[in-house]
């Protein structure tokens, strides 16, 4: 247990000071105005029509978005991870891009598709709940494909083949053999997707317009526009309770027998062979794949085309404007991009160092119930940023880290630190499966041969986990590049990040401002695509991302 405590000490202190303190400070300001508890007034906030509306919108859009993501993601995961066909790996990398796209970029892409003059403007979905759901599915179907696909890819195919040889129909094989082994990963993916949907910020802010607000955007409006800390604190508390419950559900689902533990990478089956034996499964997979591709390609293609159109003509004027200082903001898009790259690089290093230490600590063999409880507690602590509002975190930084010895408001590392905390759960969840896959007998054998702790880690652990480490770094970098909720509070006006610049440009009228925002969004999307391509190159087939 001493080793677990020693490894986790620094990350836990960092999370306690820079996550728990700001969030609890934010909640405290709302529930204890003037130093006295006033729970009745705080929870009376939940009775406001606008707050009830925000909670209801969050619940039904998140539930619907999760259901559609799972329904689309399951057949697509089968086609991409169990079937063999040319170009499969490239397509799989392209479909993962939405997962790391900045939310502001996705909001703009769907605004161009569904808004006035857009290809699907006739649907009348802009600034409705359906536009929000489309944006949520766009983001999260990739999570289902990756998480479930990794489990499907590692599933031992011999039981299903034995059932089929005994005369079971494809549907019966799926229902009685495949689904029981796949269910834990599906439940885990659905839980995480619901969490992502319920805490979505940029998508709801842009696609919901002034009529629709979720819990996340309502916290932002109450905090930034109305300075209603009591209302924001009450909503943050509700959100925190829901997050803890969902994390418990996700943790329980992971404890159920999971096929990824067995890790018998199955060879993908030729498409033609499966098409002869189970044409229905292939047809469903192709249909799902076509819908997912259209869902991703239409908004992104529309955004790319609109960024190249000025007054009905093809032009690079928007990209030239992107490179020039904006008269409203005082900085150019390229300056903001360089700031984003610098912050994302620092945040990536922070998240990676903290995440690796925590992953090593929570995967050490536990020899007592106390050690297991300690490991579970540390794991749950670092997962909290996954669902707590980034808006709450950013504003909490401003109101709690303003007095000695923690007066850090002017510190230049505050933005990358906030981004690192937001990315930390992704890093930990990417590295932990790799470490869990190491047989402890390898470490014991190395120790028997005289290897010290550092040598054992380098020759046993590092040899297996360098790929998850690179993948975790890619996720952390991409997530930091697109982080908007906390950064919008903490970034200085003289050095904003690119998502902040894009959002401000959208708030000012004029075709040039919109065109510049589109050009910046395309640049961010290309960077995200490059990062995801790198992640896919080094991915371990049987390891999921979450």
């Amino acid at each position: 247990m001493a080793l677990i405590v020693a490894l986790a000490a620094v990350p836990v202190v960092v999370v306690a000071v820079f996550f728990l303190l700001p969030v609890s400070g934010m909640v405290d300001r709302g529930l204890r105005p003037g130093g006295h508890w006033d729970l009745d007034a705080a929870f009376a906030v939940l009775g406001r029509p606008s707050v009830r509306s925000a909670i209801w919108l969050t619940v039904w859009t998140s539930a619907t978005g999760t259901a559609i993501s799972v329904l689309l993601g399951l057949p697509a995961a089968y086609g991409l991870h169990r079937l063999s066909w040319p170009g499969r790996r490239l397509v799989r990398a392209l479909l993962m891009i939405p997962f790391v796209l900045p939310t502001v970029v996705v909001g703009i892409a769907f605004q161009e598709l569904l808004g006035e003059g857009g290809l699907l403007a006739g649907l009348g979905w802009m600034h409705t709940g359906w536009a929000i759901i489309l944006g949520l599915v766009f983001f999260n179907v990739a999570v289902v494909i990756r998480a479930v696909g990794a489990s499907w890819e590692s599933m031992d195919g011999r039981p299903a083949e034995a059932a089929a040889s005994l005369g079971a129909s494809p549907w019966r094989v799926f229902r009685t053999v495949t689904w029981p082994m796949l269910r834990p990963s599906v439940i885990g993916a659905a839980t995480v997707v619901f969490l992502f949907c319920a805490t979505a910020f940029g998508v709801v802010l842009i696609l919901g317009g002034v009529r629709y607000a979720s819990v996340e955007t309502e916290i932002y409006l109450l905090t930034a526009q109305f300075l209603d800390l009591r209302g924001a604190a009450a909503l943050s508390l509700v959100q925190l309770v829901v997050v803890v419950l969902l994390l418990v559900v996700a943790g329980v689902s992971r404890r159920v027998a999971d096929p990824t533990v067995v890790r018998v990478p199955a060879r993908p089956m030729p498409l033609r062979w499966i098409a002869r034996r189970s044409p229905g499964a292939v047809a469903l997979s192709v249909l799902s794949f076509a819908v997912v591709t259209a869902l991703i390609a239409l908004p992104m293609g529309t955004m790319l085309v609109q960024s190249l159109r000025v007054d009905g003509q093809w032009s690079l004027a928007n990209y030239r404007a992107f490179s020039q200082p904006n008269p409203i903001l005082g900085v150019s898009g390229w300056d903001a991009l360089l700031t984003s790259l610098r912050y994302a690089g620092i945040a990536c290093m922070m998240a990676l160092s903290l995440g690796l230490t925590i992953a090593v600590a929570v995967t050490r063999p536990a020899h007592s119930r106390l050690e297991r409880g300690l490991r579970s507690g540390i794991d749950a602590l670092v997962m909290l940023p996954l669902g707590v509002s980034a808006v709450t975190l950013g504003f909490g930084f401003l109101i709690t880290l303003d007095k000695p010895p923690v007066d850090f408001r002017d510190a230049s590392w505050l933005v990358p630190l906030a981004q690192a905390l937001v990315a930390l759960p992704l890093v930990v969840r990417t590295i932990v499966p790799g470490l869990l896959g190491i047989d402890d007998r390898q470490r014991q054998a190395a120790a028997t041969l005289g290897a010290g702790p550092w040598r054992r880690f380098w020759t046993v652990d590092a040899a297996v986990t360098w790929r998850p480490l690179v993948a975790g770094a890619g996720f952390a970098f991409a997530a930091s590049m697109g982080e908007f909720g906390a950064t919008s509070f903490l970034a200085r006006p003289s050095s904003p990040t690119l998502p902040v610049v894009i959002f401000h440009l959208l708030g000012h009228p004029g075709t040039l401002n919109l065109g510049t925002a589109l050009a910046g969004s395309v640049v961010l999307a290309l960077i995200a695509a490059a990062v995801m391509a790198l992640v896919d190159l080094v991915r371990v087939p049987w390891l999921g991302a979450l």
Side-chain angles (χ1 to χ4, degrees), residues 263-461:
R263 290 178 187 146
V264 184
R267 180 176 296 177
M269 294 169 286
L271 179 60
R272 290 183 179 178
W273 186 74
I274 290 295
R276 286 197 299 270
R277 295 188 57 182
S278 182
V282 173
L284 186 61
S285 179
V286 170
L287 177 63
S288 167
F289 177 71
V291 173
V292 171
T293 302
L295 179 69
I296 295 173
L298 277 177
M300 299 307 296
T302 304
M303 183 178 73
L304 175 62
V305 169
Q306 292 300 323
S307 73
L308 295 169
R309 302 284 289 178
V310 177
D311 297 330
Q313 305 291 326
W314 294 102
S315 172
L316 293 175
N318 290 329
Y319 290 88
R320 287 194 289 271
F322 179 75
S323 65
Q324 302 296 322
N326 185 279
I328 300 172
L329 303 175
V331 297
S332 71
W334 287 116
D335 292 334
L337 175 61
L338 292 176
T339 301
S340 292
L341 290 171
R342 186 173 70 251
Y343 283 163
I346 299 172
C348 177
M349 296 302 296
M350 289 179 174
L352 210 56
S353 55
L354 293 174
L356 177 61
T357 311
I358 291 171
V360 172
V362 301
T363 54
R364 293 293 94 181
H367 303 291
S368 66
R369 179 175 295 181
L370 180 60
E371 287 187 31
R372 286 192 291 273
L374 182 63
R375 286 192 338 182
S376 300
I378 295 171
D379 186 62
L381 177 67
V382 298
M383 287 298 109
L384 282 179
L386 192 66
V388 173
S389 165
V391 173
T392 301
L393 178 64
F395 194 72
F397 268 37
L398 293 181
I399 64 174
T400 56
L401 303 181
D402 61 342
K403 296 181 181 65
V406 289
D407 185 4
F408 301 130
R409 286 175 302 173
D410 296 327
S412 59
W413 44 263
L414 211 55
V415 173
L417 179 61
Q419 295 174 345
L421 289 172
V422 172
L424 183 60
L426 290 176
V427 174
V428 174
R429 278 289 164 265
T430 306
I431 299 174
V432 162
L435 290 174
L436 286 175
I438 299 173
D439 191 338
D440 195 53
R441 288 173 295 185
Q442 297 179 33
R443 301 188 185 100
Q444 295 171 8
T448 304
L449 294 173
W454 173 246
R455 181 77 180 271
R456 292 200 299 273
F457 176 79
W458 184 251
T459 55
V460 178
D461 298 70

